[in-house]
Amino acid sequence: MLKTVFLTIVVLLISIVGGGASVWYALKANEGFGAVTIGSWTAYPYVGTADADPYSRARASREGLLALGRAEGLAFTATADADGAPLRRECTYSIEGAVPPARFWTLYASDPSGAVIHGGSRRAGALHSFQLLRLADNAIAISAGRHPAPGNWLALSGSGPMTFVLTFFDTPIASSSGAADVVLPSIIMVGCDA
């Protein structure tokens, strides 16, 4: 009798811990259900819609996200550079390439909790499409780092991991199924502070 009770407790413990761990992994994973990945960037186009899968809904609820509706826009996040290395605040990155058509878009860096990283009291924590200098082919070139750079510069501060968030508002890619065919800027690591 004691052996049966012990085995029942062990089975229940394994199932509860295993189930909790699998749910935690599914909610923490940047890739997965409903995700669209383009280079280093990942988006969840169905978040905020009735078509969102249960994991996307749970992730948005847990993180307290105010998700954009499908016709409103689409947010892409990147936690790694073009070579797959995790993004760090101590490093300088070049974000360069074409951006898809949108009425307005923003780019900012956030810490792991989702808070905007401010680069100092005199610098805004984000860049937007109306303030950028563009290249001849309408592409962008942004330097993101601690040290000032000529042209478009996204100021960073502190140390540790970070995420780039690129949000497009009123864009055709948010309302079509062709989000996977979009080309987004590359994130290239230039160098790191010692």
Side-chain angles (χ1 to χ4, degrees):
M1 168 109 170
L2 191 56
K3 183 178 179 182
T4 305
V5 171
F6 177 73
L7 287 175
T8 304
I9 290 173
V10 168
V11 167
L12 285 174
L13 187 63
I14 289 172
S15 63
I16 289 171
V17 170
S22 68
V23 168
W24 178 84
Y25 176 76
L27 294 179
K28 285 298 269 185
N30 238 2
E31 315 262 332
F33 302 104
V36 174
T37 301
I38 303 167
S40 301
W41 304 94
T42 302
Y44 295 91
Y46 294 107
V47 171
T49 68
D51 299 330
D53 63 274
Y55 293 103
S56 295
R57 288 181 186 181
R59 187 181 303 111
S61 296
R62 188 197 65 188
E63 294 175 2
L65 296 176
L66 181 59
L68 297 171
R70 202 143 177 185
E72 295 170 342
L74 188 58
F76 287 89
T77 59
T79 56
D81 63 17
D83 294 330
L87 298 176
R88 307 278 311 164
R89 294 190 214 181
E90 303 88 19
C91 299
T92 300
Y93 297 94
S94 178
I95 303 167
E96 51 192 50
V99 292
R103 185 176 306 270
F104 184 76
W105 56 265
T106 61
L107 172 70
Y108 67 90
S110 68
D111 63 14
S113 70
V116 176
I117 298 172
H118 292 284
S121 61
R122 297 186 151 197
R123 295 291 304 179
L127 296 176
H128 60 79
S129 56
F130 293 159
Q131 74 184 130
L132 290 181
L133 301 171
R134 303 227 181 212
L135 301 176
D137 60 353
N138 206 25
I140 60 167
I142 299 170
S143 177
R146 293 177 171 186
H147 308 291
N152 302 314
W153 174 50
L154 180 63
L156 302 176
S157 64
S159 61
M162 70 171 176
T163 301
F164 285 127
V165 181
L166 181 60
T167 307
F168 297 97
F169 298 93
D170 194 13
T171 177
I173 62 170
S175 60
S176 70
S177 60
D181 300 331
V182 172
V183 176
L184 292 174
S186 298
I187 304 170
I188 302 163
M189 203 248 313
V190 176
C192 293
D193 293 344

